[in-house]
Amino acid sequence: MSAAAGIAVVHGNEYQCVVKYSASFAAEQLHSLTNSVSKAMQSMRNLARELLKPGASYTESGLRNRIARWLSRNS
């Protein structure tokens, strides 16, 4: 697996970005992304079940924080 990094301007700020990569690097990144999305979706399915239960009481900000945490995981 190989990748090359370089400085790029993104939205007016300089960031170190992947500018060249191999097929194996791209495959590993795709695998990581699909695993993260799969875990987040499982958590959201569980939340949907919890919300259907009688007496479920959640605040909008609490739900937003919970979902944001699932989507920002770096696993």
Side-chain angles (χ1 to χ4, degrees), residues 1-59:
M1 175 166 39
S2 66
I7 301 297
V9 177
V10 180
H11 300 293
N13 295 317
E14 287 188 353
Y15 293 95
Q16 186 166 6
C17 303
V18 175
V19 293
K20 183 179 177 183
Y21 53 88
S22 66
S24 61
F25 177 79
E28 178 61 31
Q29 294 301 301
L30 179 60
H31 178 72
S32 176
L33 176 63
T34 54
N35 278 343
S36 295
V37 169
S38 177
K39 288 177 184 177
M41 291 304 298
Q42 181 63 43
S43 295
M44 289 194 194
R45 279 191 297 274
N46 291 339
L47 176 60
R49 279 190 219 106
E50 288 177 32
L51 291 171
L52 290 174
K53 291 180 181 177
S57 175
Y58 297 95
T59 63

